[in-house]
Amino acid sequence: MSRFLTILLGLIALGLLAFFCIKHHSPEIETDLVNRTQQALTQQDSTFATVSTDGRELVLTGQAPDQAAKDRAGEIARNVRGVRTVDNQLSIASVTA
């Protein structure tokens, strides 16, 4: 029973350590993802998109000139290393005649 208890306590300690490490570094990771995504969007002339994050999930907001630009911005964000998902909330600019 002593060996089982030692292993169990070790696993609990390892889990707690991982949890605190993730919580400690989470803001740095989020900032890095936002910066790299914004840079990728800027390089591809998608400066209309604003990036925010919740962990590794990105949210794109702003106003795209058309549906193709909206889709392209979402694809650019999805291709950034480390991004898990992209919630593309970009609206499309209305065309006035």
Side-chain angles (χ1 to χ4, degrees):
M1 187 61 147
S2 172
R3 182 177 173 154
F4 173 75
L5 186 58
T6 302
I7 292 172
L8 181 62
L9 289 175
L11 289 174
I12 290 171
L14 186 60
L16 288 173
L17 179 64
F19 174 77
F20 287 116
C21 285
I22 290 169
K23 281 297 187 184
H24 176 71
H25 291 290
S26 187
E28 295 169 20
I29 294 168
E30 290 176 351
T31 299
D32 179 55
L33 280 177
V34 167
N35 290 340
R36 289 189 295 116
T37 303
Q38 199 69 59
Q39 182 179 16
L41 289 165
T42 299
Q43 289 174 348
Q44 298 293 321
D45 296 324
S46 296
T47 55
F48 52 83
T50 302
V51 182
S52 60
T53 185
D54 180 18
R56 291 175 40 208
E57 287 80 31
L58 297 182
V59 178
L60 298 180
T61 55
Q63 193 169 56
D66 55 37
Q67 184 65 44
K70 176 182 177 176
D71 295 341
R72 187 173 59 249
E75 191 62 31
I76 291 166
R78 275 187 219 73
N79 288 328
V80 172
R81 186 180 50 81
V83 172
R84 183 178 301 152
T85 61
V86 175
D87 182 7
N88 192 341
Q89 296 183 4
L90 290 166
S91 60
I92 298 173
S94 60
V95 178
T96 56

